[in-house]
């Protein structure tokens, strides 16, 4: 073997144990440093993953339509919208709380008059994520019946315009403030139209589905749009649910029945839950 090769072999053999020793000693030192530190000190040294944001509590405002001097629609002299929708609204709150974590508030819990503007204001003060206005329908056509869910937008039909006129009647400041182009523009601008449409469809689907499972002759009148004053300034997705007709005797009787009210409440609650499940990516955590 030439002298130079022999020299390099010597260096190599010398370096192996040195490297091994160095690694071993570094290892030992590291272990010692770590083992001498308390767990809290280790946590201070080691990088900590950023904490995930706390789950955002869902805030729901339930708005039983009418109240006090405003009876809403009255069927057959005794089926008063304001009473029926208050009973249904309370059941809706219970059913929502059964199936999802949520803070639920009512615009009214008894028979009192509240202006439509104050209902909006209440939802804003509570930083509502969702606004549910619950109503019962009526028509001069005694055969009209069924379930329909509205969100705020230009009216899709003359019937929707008529309904909006009736629902808006009591709440407008000043006897009959007309829905001017300015008011309408503000309505549309403030409305979470896309989200409200998604919500309306999910509530309709679940509400009609639930009623059909338990009752015959349920009419699905679908999702519609109209200019409802109560949905104007809530600043969150909102819908107005016309649960059934007080002007149709069988439906009026059903509306006053606890089991029917419960089915309505369960259907609405499932629709709301489906909405928030779908909205999970936008920061809600059920
Ligand atoms: Zn109403």
């Amino acid at each position: 073997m030439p002298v130079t090769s022999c020299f390099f072999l010597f260096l190599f053999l010398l370096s192996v144990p040195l490297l091994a020793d160095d690694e071993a000693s570094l290892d030992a030192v590291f272990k010692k440093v770590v083992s001498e530190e308390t767990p809290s000190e280790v946590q201070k040294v080691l990088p900590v993953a950023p904490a995930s944001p706390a789950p955002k509590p869902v805030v729901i405002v339930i708005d039983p339509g009418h109240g006090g001097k405003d009876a809403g629609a009255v069927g057959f002299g005794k089926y008063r919208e304001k009473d029926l929708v208050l009973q249904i609204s309370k059941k809706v709150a219970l059913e929502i709380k059964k199936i999802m974590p949520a803070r639920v508030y009512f615009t009214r819990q008894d028979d009192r008059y509240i202006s439509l503007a104050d209902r909006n204001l209440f939802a804003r003060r509570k930083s509502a994520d969702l606004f549910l206005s619950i109503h019962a329908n009526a028509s001069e056509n005694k055969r009209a019946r069924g379930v329909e869910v509205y969100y705020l937008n230009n009216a899709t039909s003359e019937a929707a315009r008529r309904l909006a006129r009736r629902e808006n009647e009591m709440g407008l400041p000043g006897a009959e403030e007309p829905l001017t182009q300015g008011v309408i523009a503000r309505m549309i601008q403030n409305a979470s139209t896309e989200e409200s449409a998604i919500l309306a469809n999910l509530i309709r689907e679940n509400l009609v589905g639930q009623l059909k499972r338990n009752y015959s002759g349920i009419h699905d009148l679908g999702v519609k749009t109209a200019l409802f004053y109560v949905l104007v300034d809530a600043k969150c997705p909102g819908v107005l649910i016309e649960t059934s007709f007080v002007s149709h005797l069988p439906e009026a009787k059903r509306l006053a029945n606890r089991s029917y009210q419960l089915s309505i409440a369960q259907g609405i609650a499932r629709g709301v839950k489906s909405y928030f499940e779908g909205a999970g990516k936008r920061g809600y955590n059920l």
Side-chain angles (χ1 to χ4, degrees):
M1 187 181 285
V3 175
T4 48
S5 303
C6 192
F7 177 67
F8 283 119
L9 178 64
F10 170 72
L11 281 179
F12 172 71
L13 290 172
L14 195 66
S15 69
V16 171
L18 269 177
L19 282 171
D21 277 356
D22 281 354
E23 279 182 9
S25 59
L26 277 172
D27 208 32
V29 169
F30 180 70
K31 274 181 186 159
K32 189 162 181 263
V33 169
V34 171
S35 64
E36 279 176 2
E37 285 169 339
T38 62
S40 63
E41 284 170 324
V42 173
Q43 276 175 358
K44 276 182 210 160
V45 174
L46 298 174
V48 178
S52 55
K56 190 178 163 187
V58 167
V59 177
I60 297 170
V61 168
I62 298 181
D63 173 47
H66 314 276
K69 65 183 179 183
D70 174 15
V74 180
F76 307 93
K78 60 174 178 175
Y79 299 103
R80 297 192 302 184
E81 180 181 0
K82 67 171 183 176
D83 301 329
L84 299 170
V85 298
L86 183 59
Q87 292 161 8
I88 293 168
S89 295
K90 287 180 176 174
K91 290 184 175 66
V92 171
L94 288 173
E95 291 306 311
I96 287 175
K97 282 177 160 286
K98 263 188 209 168
I99 60 174
M100 60 180 271
R103 286 188 201 152
V104 182
Y105 299 99
F106 295 97
T107 53
R108 69 174 178 101
Q109 293 193 67
D110 51 22
D111 184 19
R112 71 177 67 195
Y113 174 76
I114 298 165
S115 76
L116 299 181
D118 282 346
R119 293 169 197 250
N120 276 199
L121 185 64
F122 179 80
R124 288 206 302 283
R125 283 202 181 132
K126 293 293 177 197
S127 302
D129 296 303
L130 212 71
F131 185 82
L132 304 173
S133 195
I134 297 179
H135 291 253
N137 218 333
S139 171
E140 286 177 6
N141 173 6
K142 297 294 173 211
R143 290 192 297 181
R145 59 178 168 147
V147 178
E148 53 193 10
V149 182
Y150 283 85
Y151 65 95
L152 186 72
N153 213 330
N154 280 311
T156 38
S157 68
E158 181 48 39
R161 268 189 285 276
R162 262 203 311 277
L163 176 66
R165 270 199 297 276
R166 183 165 59 74
E167 297 291 14
N168 288 336
E169 221 164 49
M170 289 302 290
L172 286 171
E176 278 90 27
E177 182 189 323
L179 287 172
T180 60
Q181 286 306 311
V183 174
I184 291 170
R186 192 173 99 239
M187 282 179 159
I188 308 286
Q189 190 189 347
N190 287 341
S192 315
T193 307
E194 259 178 54
E195 289 297 309
S196 298
I198 294 168
L199 174 66
N201 278 291
L202 287 168
I203 288 181
R204 182 209 62 82
E205 184 186 322
N206 283 277
L207 173 53
V208 171
Q210 180 68 15
L211 287 175
K212 282 188 172 175
R213 268 192 289 280
N214 297 317
Y215 295 89
S216 60
I218 299 298
H219 279 221
D220 177 8
L221 301 176
V223 167
K224 297 173 180 173
T225 58
L227 294 167
F228 289 115
Y229 196 84
V230 75
L231 301 177
V232 176
D233 285 326
K235 301 267 170 75
C236 65
V239 292
L240 186 146
I241 305 160
E242 295 284 357
T243 48
S244 290
F245 283 72
V246 291
S247 52
H248 183 269
L249 189 56
E251 280 203 354
K253 284 181 177 169
R254 279 180 174 179
L255 275 172
N257 178 278
R258 281 185 181 188
S259 302
Y260 191 74
Q261 291 179 353
L262 184 63
S263 276
I264 289 174
Q266 286 168 337
I268 293 172
R270 281 178 196 169
V272 167
K273 189 177 184 216
S274 300
Y275 173 79
F276 281 110
E277 282 170 347
K281 59 187 178 292
R282 291 189 290 277
Y284 297 106
N285 194 347
L286 297 187

